[in-house]
Amino acid sequence: MTDPFVAIGGDAAGLSAASKCKREQPERDVIVFEKGSWVSYSHCGMPYFVKGEVDRLDDLLSLSPAEIRERGIDLRRGHEVVAIDSDARVLTVETSAGDRLEQPYGDLLIGTGARAVTTPIEGSDLAGVHTMHGLDSAAAVRAHLLDPAVDAVADVGGEEFVDRELVERHAAFEPPETVAIVGGGYVGVEMAEAFSAHGLDVHLFQRGEHVLPPFGEAVAEVVEGELAAEGVTLHLGEEVQRLDGDDGRVERLVCAGGASLAVDLALVGIGIRPNTDLLADTPIETGVADAVAVDDYGRTNVDGVYAAGDCATMRHAVTGERDWVPLGLTANRAGRAIGATVAGDPTPVGDIAGTAVVKAFEQECGRTGLVDHEAASDAGFDPVSETITAGSRSGYYPGGAETTVTLIADRDSGRLLGGTIVGTDRAAIRIDIVAMALEQDATVGELERSDLAYAPPFSPVWDPVLTAAKVLGSSVQERY
Amino acid sequence: MTDPFVAIGGDAAGLSAASKCKREQPERDVIVFEKGSWVSYSHCGMPYFVKGEVDRLDDLLSLSPAEIRERGIDLRRGHEVVAIDSDARVLTVETSAGDRLEQPYGDLLIGTGARAVTTPIEGSDLAGVHTMHGLDSAAAVRAHLLDPAVDAVADVGGEEFVDRELVERHAAFEPPETVAIVGGGYVGVEMAEAFSAHGLDVHLFQRGEHVLPPFGEAVAEVVEGELAAEGVTLHLGEEVQRLDGDDGRVERLVCAGGASLAVDLALVGIGIRPNTDLLADTPIETGVADAVAVDDYGRTNVDGVYAAGDCATMRHAVTGERDWVPLGLTANRAGRAIGATVAGDPTPVGDIAGTAVVKAFEQECGRTGLVDHEAASDAGFDPVSETITAGSRSGYYPGGAETTVTLIADRDSGRLLGGTIVGTDRAAIRIDIVAMALEQDATVGELERSDLAYAPPFSPVWDPVLTAAKVLGSSVQERY
C-alpha cells in the first residue's frame, strides 16, 4: 500500500479525501491534480461575493495552496488528467505549460465536479453572459458590476489565481442597468438578491410555472412574493430562446414566444452536469445523470477507483436508489469517508436526502427528501401531503414570522418521505429536523410525538414542523 | 360511554384533552374543573411579561373561557376537586363560593400541574418575595416593578381573573432597586434578563457551582459570561438560608455562610413539585418525584383514570424508564393523546427526551437526553462526550457566531445519549436535530453521516452539530 493515493480535482471531494488519507497514513504519497488554478473554494459563497457581502475572492477559499501543502499533500495546479489506464493504474496528465506526464496510483479518487450547462440557450458565448460556475466567473460578474472609474480590478482579490484577462475585460464594461437571470433555481434566486443589492433592474426568467422547483409550490409562492416585493420582475412560464447582440456583446434576450428584453448583462443558471467525459474510454461506469456509479463506500466498478462529489452518484435515504444531488456537504462527507477507506478504515459515505436550503432575500427556504408527488409515486410510495402555516414563536412573543411547512408521507405505512419549509425566522435550520427524521426512516406519527424544544422566543408550544406532522398524521393509516 | 369525561385542571393537559375529546365525541359531556380563575395560560411567557416585551396578562392566554365554552367544554372555574372516589367514579368538588357538589365521571384526567417550592428558604412568605408560578404572581412582580406614580394597575391586564388585591398591594410598593434571584435554573436566568431590562441591580444566587445544571458545564460557562457581561452579579456556590425584614417586607437575603445582601425584591425559583396531594386517599399510584405513575397511554393503575402534564410521569426515550420532566409541549401532547384515547382512538402519549431551550439574554441554550455522565452511567451506559465550538455560518458570511455543542454517546454501541448547545445565531432550534436523532435511537455515526442542510447564511458546510458528531465519532466503538 505504498502506491500513492491520487485525487483528480482539487475541490471539496478531492481535498477532503486527500487530507483524511494523509492524516491517517502520513508516510503515504498523496497527490491532487487540479486542472485549473483555484482549489478548495466555496461555490455557495459566490453570490454573496457578487453581492458585496463577501469582500474578496480569497475569503471564499477554505484552504490556501500553502495550507494544503502544509498538510503534506502534493498539490499540482494546472495539471489536467487526460487519460486513466485502470489496468496499469496509471494516469496521463497534461500541464498548463504543455508538458505531459504519467502518474501511477494505488488508489484513485475521481472528484472532477460538475460544470454549468447553457444548452439550449443560444448566444451564451457573448461577452456579458455569465454562468457563475467557478470563481473566475464570479470575479468577472463583480468586475462587470463595478464602476471602472471608481473600483480597481484588484479589489476582487484572488491575485494569485484569478483569470486576470477575463476580469479586466469585464471591468472595462460600463456597469449594467438591466440584468436578465435565466433560470429560477438556487443560483438564479441568490443572484437576484445579489444584483438587486447593486440597484439593478433585475428580470428573472423561469421556463416552468414556479421558481425553485425542487422546493415545491408552497415555498415557490412565498419566494415569488418576496422577489416581486423586492422589485425583481418575474417572467414565469417564459422560455428563453437566445441572447444576442452586436460586436460580441449581449444586448438582448429573446423568448421562444417572441418577447424580448434589452439587457446589459445576462446570467444563465439552468443547470449543471457531472464532469465525466474523461471516463468515456475507461471501464469505469456512469449511472444516473451520467454521474459516476459508486457503491456505499464510494467505490466504482473498477478496483481501486473511487468517486465523490458533484461528479458521483449517492444512495438516496428515502428511495434507497442511486441518485445525483450535487451539494457541498455530500462532497466533503464522501471525500472524507473515501480518504479513511483508502487509508485502511472502510467508511461508508452515507446517504443523501436531497436536503437543501437557500436564502431568497429575507426568506429562508428548505427542502429534504421526496417533495414531488410524482417522484414519490415513481419510487413506489402512495404519497399524501399537507401544508400548514404557523407562527415561528409563541404568538405573544415579538419577532415571530409566518412559517409554511409541507410534509409528505406514504399513506399506508405513514413513513415520512419529505418536507419543505419557508419563513423568515429560523426556518432553514428547521428542515434539518425533518431530514434527521427521514434519515432514520421515521413515520409521520413518530415525528408528531417527538420531544422537540419549546420556549417562547424560539417556537410555539408545537413547533411548525410538529403542527404539520399533526395535520398530516390524520391522513395516514399507520399513525402509531 | 355517555358518562362525562372530566379533567381536573384547566391548563395545557386538561384543556388539550377536553378539546380533543369533545371534537371526536361532540355528544359527550366534557367538564373541566379549575380551582383558580386562570385557565389555558402560558407559564413560559411570564418572564417576558415581567420584562415588558409582552404587554398584558391576557396576551398569555391561549384560549379565553369564552373560546373554551365555544368548543362545547363545560368549564368550571373556582371549582376545586377535593376527593376522588375511583370505585364509584365520583368526584367531590368545592366551589370558591363554599358550595360542595358531587360529579360522576366516565373517564377522568388528572391534570393538576405543579407548584413552586420554597423549602428550605425561610422567609418566603414576606411581601416582596415572589415565586413566578402562576399569572397572579407574575402580575404582582410587574406591579411591584412599575412606578405607582406613573403606571396604573390596570395596565397589566387580566381584569377578569387577576387577584386584584395582591396586585394592588405590590403596586403600592416603591419600585425596587436591588433584586435577588434565588436559583439559577430556567426561571432564574430568564428573570435576570427581565429585571435587567428594568435597570435593576440584579443578583443571582445559585447553590451549585453553575447555573442551568441540566444544560451541563459547557453551556453554563457561556451563560455565566453572558450574565456577567449584562451586569448581573453572580453568586455561585452560595446557599441562601433565609430572607428577612421588618413589617413583613423583605429587606435582606442571608446566606448559609453568613454573607448578606440588602434587597427590595426577591424571586425564589428553586424548583417545582407535582400537585398530587389529592391522590393520597385514593388507590391511584404515584412514582418518580411523586408524580402520577402512568403507562404509554397516560393511564394510571386505576381503570378510567388518566394523568398528564406537570403532575405526571412520562417514559424517557433514552433510558426507557419513567421520568418526570414537567414542560409545556409534553402536557399539550399527552393531554391531546388522552383526549383521543378516551374518545375511542387509543393514542400513545409519546416519550420525552428532556428537550429544553432557554434564552439567556442573547444566548440561545438547548439540551436534550442524558447530559450528565453520572445519570448516563446510572442508566446503564458507558458515557463518552465531546464539546466543540464552531461558527454558525460559513466563515466568510457575515453575522455568524460561535456555537458550542456537546454530544454524549455510549462508548460501545455508539448510541447517542444526549446533547447541549449554546450560541447566539440559531442555536436553539439546532438542539431539535439531536432530539430527533435520540428519539430514533440513532448512533453518533448515523448523526455524523446525516444529510443536513448547508448554505452560507445558515451554517458552515459541516453544521456545528455534525462537527461535534465527527469528533465524538472517533471515541466510540461502533461507528458505522
Side-chain angles (χ1 to χ4, degrees), chain A residues 238-391:
Chain A
E238 198 62 272
E239 187 172 348
V240 175
Q241 188 190 56
R242 68 178 195 277
L243 299 159
D244 63 29
D246 298 329
D247 301 327
R249 278 288 305 280
V250 67
E251 291 175 352
R252 196 169 27 258
L253 173 149
V254 182
C255 293
S260 76
L261 177 74
V263 299
D264 307 310
L265 186 156
L267 186 117
V268 179
I270 57 173
I272 63 174
R273 194 152 295 169
N275 286 325
T276 50
D277 293 350
L278 172 63
L279 309 183
D281 298 324
T282 74
I284 302 164
E285 287 171 6
T286 55
V288 189
D290 282 327
V292 189
V294 294
D295 69 7
D296 290 346
Y297 289 79
R299 294 180 291 223
T300 68
N301 62 309
V302 172
D303 205 38
V305 181
Y306 299 76
D310 289 1
C311 67
T313 62
M314 291 283 281
R315 182 180 175 278
H316 194 288
V318 178
T319 65
E321 302 293 323
R322 295 286 134 185
D323 206 342
W324 180 65
V325 184
L327 288 170
L329 174 61
T330 309
N332 277 273
R333 173 156 47 87
R336 185 170 180 270
I338 290 167
T341 298
V342 299
D345 178 20
T347 301
V349 295
D351 292 339
I352 53 165
T355 313
V357 283
V358 63
K359 179 170 173 290
F361 291 91
E362 294 311 306
Q363 294 293 340
E364 306 185 358
C365 317
R367 59 95 60 218
T368 188
L370 304 177
V371 168
D372 183 59
H373 277 232
E374 205 174 304
S377 296
D378 289 349
F381 299 106
D382 179 12
V384 53
S385 66
E386 290 285 354
T387 298
I388 64 98
T389 295

Side-chain angles (χ1 to χ4, degrees), chain A residues 164-186:
Chain A
R164 187 149 296 272
E165 188 277 323
L166 180 79
V167 171
E168 282 176 2
R169 183 151 39 94
H170 286 86
F173 296 156
E174 279 298 298
E177 292 179 1
T178 304
V179 170
I181 297 170
V182 183
Y186 306 93

Side-chain angles (χ1 to χ4, degrees), chain A residues 421-455:
Chain A
I421 193 164
V422 63
T424 56
D425 182 37
R426 299 181 172 86
I429 294 293
R430 284 183 157 98
I431 201 65
D432 284 341
I433 305 168
V434 184
M436 195 70 228
L438 290 183
E439 294 265 1
Q440 294 288 317
D441 299 340
T443 65
V444 65
E446 286 170 345
L447 175 58
E448 177 188 340
R449 290 189 300 281
S450 290
D451 190 20
L452 301 190
Y454 156 56

Side-chain angles (χ1 to χ4, degrees), chain A residues 16 20 42-46 48 51 53-54 59-61 190 193 297 327-330 332-333 336 340 345-359 363-365 368 394-398 424-437 439-443 446-459 461-463 466 470-471 479-480, chain B residues 16 20 42-46 48 51 53-54 59-61 190 193 297 327-330 332-333 336 340 345-359 363-365 368 394-398 424-437 439-443 446-459 461-463 466 470-471 479-480:
Chain A
S16 295
K20 182 67 178 171
S42 169
H43 290 256
C44 303
M46 294 192 295
Y48 305 103
K51 185 179 177 186
E53 281 183 315
V54 176
D59 297 333
L60 297 180
L61 303 186
E190 289 171 342
E193 181 184 329
Y297 289 79
L327 288 170
L329 174 61
T330 309
N332 277 273
R333 173 156 47 87
R336 185 170 180 270
D345 178 20
T347 301
V349 295
D351 292 339
I352 53 165
T355 313
V357 283
V358 63
K359 179 170 173 290
Q363 294 293 340
E364 306 185 358
C365 317
T368 188
S394 294
Y396 53 79
Y397 193 90
T424 56
D425 182 37
R426 299 181 172 86
I429 294 293
R430 284 183 157 98
I431 201 65
D432 284 341
I433 305 168
V434 184
M436 195 70 228
E439 294 265 1
Q440 294 288 317
D441 299 340
T443 65
E446 286 170 345
L447 175 58
E448 177 188 340
R449 290 189 300 281
S450 290
D451 190 20
L452 301 190
Y454 156 56
F458 310 126
S459 73
V461 176
W462 295 88
D463 190 274
L466 294 179
K470 262 202 302 190
V471 173
R479 191 167 188 181
Y480 311 119
Chain B
S16 294
K20 181 67 178 171
S42 168
H43 290 255
C44 303
M46 293 191 298
Y48 306 103
K51 185 179 177 187
E53 280 182 316
V54 176
D59 297 333
L60 297 179
L61 303 186
E190 289 170 344
E193 181 184 330
Y297 290 79
L327 287 170
L329 174 61
T330 309
N332 277 273
R333 173 156 47 89
R336 185 168 179 270
D345 177 20
T347 301
V349 295
D351 292 340
I352 53 164
T355 312
V357 283
V358 63
K359 179 171 173 290
Q363 294 292 341
E364 305 185 359
C365 316
T368 187
S394 294
Y396 54 79
Y397 193 91
T424 55
D425 181 37
R426 300 182 172 86
I429 294 293
R430 284 184 157 98
I431 202 65
D432 284 342
I433 304 168
V434 185
M436 196 69 227
E439 294 265 2
Q440 293 289 317
D441 299 340
T443 65
E446 287 170 344
L447 176 57
E448 177 189 339
R449 290 189 300 281
S450 290
D451 190 20
L452 301 190
Y454 157 57
F458 309 127
S459 72
V461 176
W462 296 88
D463 190 274
L466 294 178
K470 261 202 304 190
V471 173
R479 192 167 187 180
Y480 311 119

Side-chain angles (χ1 to χ4, degrees), chain B residues 172-420:
Chain B
F173 296 155
E174 280 298 297
E177 291 178 3
T178 303
V179 169
I181 298 170
V182 183
Y186 305 93
V187 170
V189 166
E190 289 170 344
M191 288 304 293
E193 181 184 330
F195 288 132
S196 288
H198 288 274
L200 307 180
D201 183 19
V202 181
H203 292 255
L204 192 149
F205 292 81
Q206 167 74 334
R207 195 171 54 173
E209 291 303 316
H210 286 295
V211 298
L212 295 177
F215 288 72
E217 222 171 284
V219 173
E221 283 170 2
V222 173
V223 171
E224 287 157 12
E226 180 88 354
L227 290 168
E230 295 284 348
V232 175
T233 306
L234 285 172
H235 303 264
L236 299 175
E238 198 65 91
E239 186 171 350
V240 175
Q241 186 189 60
R242 66 176 195 277
L243 298 159
D244 63 28
D246 297 329
D247 301 327
R249 277 289 305 279
V250 67
E251 292 174 351
R252 196 168 28 257
L253 173 148
V254 181
C255 293
S260 77
L261 176 76
V263 299
D264 307 311
L265 185 156
L267 187 116
V268 180
I270 56 172
I272 63 173
R273 195 151 294 169
N275 286 324
T276 49
D277 293 349
L278 171 64
L279 310 183
D281 299 324
T282 74
I284 301 164
E285 288 171 5
T286 55
V288 190
D290 283 328
V292 189
V294 295
D295 69 7
D296 291 344
Y297 290 79
R299 294 178 291 221
T300 69
N301 62 309
V302 171
D303 205 39
V305 181
Y306 300 77
D310 290 1
C311 67
T313 62
M314 290 283 281
R315 182 180 176 277
H316 194 288
V318 178
T319 66
E321 301 294 321
R322 294 287 134 186
D323 206 340
W324 180 65
V325 184
L327 287 170
L329 174 61
T330 309
N332 277 273
R333 173 156 47 89
R336 185 168 179 270
I338 291 166
T341 299
V342 299
D345 177 20
T347 301
V349 295
D351 292 340
I352 53 164
T355 312
V357 283
V358 63
K359 179 171 173 290
F361 292 92
E362 293 312 306
Q363 294 292 341
E364 305 185 359
C365 316
R367 60 94 60 219
T368 187
L370 303 177
V371 168
D372 183 58
H373 278 231
E374 204 175 305
S377 297
D378 289 349
F381 300 106
D382 179 11
V384 54
S385 66
E386 290 285 354
T387 298
I388 63 99
T389 296
S392 61
R393 308 183 184 186
S394 294
Y396 54 79
Y397 193 91
E402 280 198 347
T403 305
T404 298
V405 179
T406 299
L407 292 178
I408 300 93
D410 179 51
R411 198 182 305 267
D412 286 347
S413 65
R415 182 178 170 191
L416 202 63
L417 301 177
T420 71

Side-chain angles (χ1 to χ4, degrees), chain A residues 137-181:
Chain A
S137 171
V141 175
R142 180 140 147 192
H144 192 161
L145 297 185
L146 298 177
D147 185 341
V150 292
D151 302 296
V153 171
D155 271 352
V156 299
E159 284 77 1
E160 193 191 346
F161 316 103
V162 78
D163 181 342
R164 187 149 296 272
E165 188 277 323
L166 180 79
V167 171
E168 282 176 2
R169 183 151 39 94
H170 286 86
F173 296 156
E174 279 298 298
E177 292 179 1
T178 304
V179 170
I181 297 170

